[in-house]
Amino acid sequence: MGLVYDGPASFFNDIFYLVYKYADISIPPDPNYPTLKIKYEDGYFDVEYLGQKESASFENIESVIHNLINEYQKSIFVIAENSLIITPEGTRTSGFLPWDKKITVDLMVGDIIFTHEFTPPLGEFIINIPTRWIDLEITGLNSAKVNGVDLDLPTKISVPPSKVLIEYGFEKIELDLTNYSEQIYSVDLQRQDLYKSVETKIKKVFELESGIYFYGTPISVWIPKKGEPIVTKSRFYCDYGDMEEKSKTYYIDGEIVFAYEKEKTVYLISSSGHFFTLGNKTLNKDFGRSPLSIVLTSNYIQVTTFGLENYKIDFSGGIYKQGNAFNVLLDLPDYSVKEVYNIQDYTIEVKDNIINIYNNKHEITDNAAQ
């Protein structure tokens, strides 16, 4: 069919492909064939074909063109090179696919599935895909997953232009090789060392500015942002001190139920209602009863005890009693355990009463080989 387009140049490319999806196009129009006329005016397209006229926005112009032309969408015959096409019916070495400006197909290469996108050339109805391959070189120790499939390292695999997900220990690397034009792409995975494995039941985790404290039974672990991890039997330990040492001069009962760090001072409250600090500021207070509610703001900590007494701990240095409370619900911070934590040089996995500490002092490079 012929095509006459009267509108902004910015729309022409998209409209051309929409029409071509259903019919071959002659520009200028061949008088021996009907002509599709499209005119743009005031945000809408007036579409005319064989005496029929419809108006459409850009969002629904394809359905209007399809209805007027009244033809099925074109198909192309696709042949997979060194791979298999995945279809709802199974895998095939070839098959018909609906024609489009961009066609997405899942290709199985060995046991790995890659989502490959390609643009079929105009006028060709037998297409070999992919038109090129990329040699993906992965170096490292042990193994890695590529799109969910385990591979021993080092390895070299041929992949079609596509997005590739590499999982290596706790690392996830997403490569977008869709438009990568070189033949070789190299990824160097440095080893993720197991620094230490500790068998203990982690009950709470306090994430502070200077590090993470994993409170456990029978032992706990302090992992600072700067320095080496510390394994301890303390109820709380950080860069600024040890709760057990503090308790020798100021008796502290119970477990820690609140920990917050501000300006190199850690503010702590125990389950029995003891408040104290470790770090630059020295504050101690026995609230007499267990905390019922702890509210943290940018300037202070508001504590309500089971004795329904209110206390305000001001970060400027004061502790103030503020009368009684009524009808207060239990509202304490949640320090429940997650499976994975990341901090500076370490990744920590907590699972099945084992805390594994991995050393991340390495760089992962995914630069293409020159």
Side-chain angles (χ1 to χ4, degrees):
M1 69 167 59
L3 174 63
V4 173
Y5 174 76
D6 181 8
S10 58
F11 288 117
F12 176 76
N13 189 56
D14 290 325
I15 288 177
F16 179 89
Y17 278 101
L18 289 178
V19 177
Y20 186 82
K21 186 186 293 190
Y22 302 101
D24 291 336
I25 300 173
S26 174
I27 300 177
D30 187 326
N32 296 315
Y33 296 98
T35 297
L36 178 71
K37 298 179 180 179
I38 300 176
K39 183 178 181 179
Y40 179 84
E41 189 172 0
D42 296 331
Y44 285 88
F45 295 89
D46 294 324
V47 186
E48 180 180 352
Y49 184 70
L50 295 178
Q52 292 182 293
K53 295 182 180 180
E54 289 194 35
S55 181
S57 64
F58 182 76
E59 287 70 25
N60 67 356
I61 191 171
E62 179 177 358
S63 62
V64 169
I65 290 172
H66 184 200
N67 290 336
L68 290 178
I69 295 176
N70 196 26
E71 294 286 348
Y72 291 110
Q73 185 175 344
K74 290 180 181 177
S75 294
I76 57 172
F77 188 70
V78 177
I79 302 171
E81 299 285 354
N82 301 316
S83 57
L84 295 171
I85 300 171
I86 297 178
T87 70
E89 292 76 30
T91 56
R92 300 178 178 178
T93 57
S94 61
F96 286 96
L97 295 179
W99 189 96
D100 210 333
K101 182 180 180 180
K102 294 280 188 183
I103 297 177
T104 301
V105 61
D106 287 334
L107 293 179
M108 177 176 284
V109 183
D111 294 326
I112 308 175
I113 298 174
F114 300 93
T115 300
H116 175 56
E117 184 180 83
F118 66 97
T119 300
L122 296 176
E124 295 187 19
F125 297 98
I126 300 178
I127 308 295
N128 291 70
I129 59 168
T131 56
R132 58 188 176 85
W133 291 90
I134 300 166
D135 291 329
L136 177 59
E137 298 178 337
I138 307 174
T139 56
L141 297 178
N142 301 321
S143 65
K145 287 185 178 181
V146 176
N147 286 2
V149 177
D150 283 308
L151 297 178
D152 292 330
L153 299 180
T155 188
K156 180 179 179 180
I157 57 176
S158 293
V159 304
S162 60
K163 293 182 179 180
V164 181
L165 174 64
I166 300 175
E167 298 172 82
Y168 184 69
F170 292 107
E171 301 285 351
K172 288 187 178 181
I173 303 172
E174 296 182 359
L175 307 178
D176 189 350
L177 304 181
T178 304
N179 298 309
Y180 185 68
S181 59
E182 303 295 329
Q183 183 179 353
I184 299 174
Y185 194 98
S186 297
V187 180
D188 183 13
L189 302 173
Q190 300 292 329
R191 181 181 179 183
Q192 188 179 56
D193 294 320
L194 178 62
Y195 174 85
K196 189 183 290 290
S197 184
V198 179
E199 185 173 358
T200 188
K201 180 177 176 59
I202 300 299
K203 300 167 69 174
K204 299 175 184 176
V205 180
F206 301 98
E207 298 182 75
L208 306 177
E209 291 180 357
S210 57
I212 305 177
Y213 186 68
F214 296 83
Y215 175 63
T217 302
I219 53 179
S220 305
V221 182
W222 165 249
I223 301 182
K225 285 188 176 179
K226 297 180 180 179
E228 302 294 324
I230 302 293
V231 178
T232 176
K233 291 185 178 181
S234 179
R235 287 170 290 169
F236 189 87
Y237 183 98
C238 67
D239 285 349
Y240 312 121
D242 182 347
M243 176 177 172
E244 304 308 328
E245 289 297 319
K246 184 85 171 181
S247 188
K248 291 178 182 179
T249 56
Y250 174 78
Y251 178 72
I252 305 167
D253 192 20
E255 295 182 2
I256 297 301
V257 295
F258 175 84
Y260 176 73
E261 181 177 347
K262 186 179 180 70
E263 298 175 352
K264 297 186 178 180
T265 297
V266 178
Y267 297 79
L268 299 145
I269 303 174
S270 76
S271 57
S272 64
H274 284 93
F275 163 72
F276 65 102
T277 59
L278 296 173
N280 286 346
K281 295 179 181 178
T282 301
L283 297 170
N284 299 309
K285 176 69 176 178
D286 185 356
F287 295 138
R289 299 288 297 274
S290 299
L292 174 64
S293 171
I294 301 176
V295 177
L296 175 66
T297 74
S298 59
N299 297 317
Y300 60 87
I301 305 165
Q302 187 78 39
V303 182
T304 302
T305 71
F306 271 90
L308 295 183
E309 294 179 324
N310 280 326
Y311 293 90
K312 179 180 179 182
I313 304 166
D314 200 306
F315 292 132
S316 63
I319 305 173
Y320 309 97
K321 186 175 180 181
Q322 295 186 317
N324 296 329
F326 302 94
N327 301 322
V328 179
L329 299 176
L330 183 66
D331 183 17
L332 298 178
D334 181 16
Y335 298 110
S336 56
V337 184
K338 298 183 294 187
E339 186 172 322
V340 177
Y341 296 83
N342 290 285
I343 178 172
Q344 292 289 103
D345 297 328
Y346 300 98
T347 294
I348 306 97
E349 178 190 40
V350 183
K351 192 174 183 180
D352 298 329
N353 293 338
I354 299 290
I355 176 170
N356 289 320
I357 306 169
Y358 295 89
N359 191 334
N360 294 334
K361 296 178 182 178
H362 65 268
E363 294 182 357
I364 291 183
T365 59
D366 56 358
N367 296 319
Q370 299 298 320

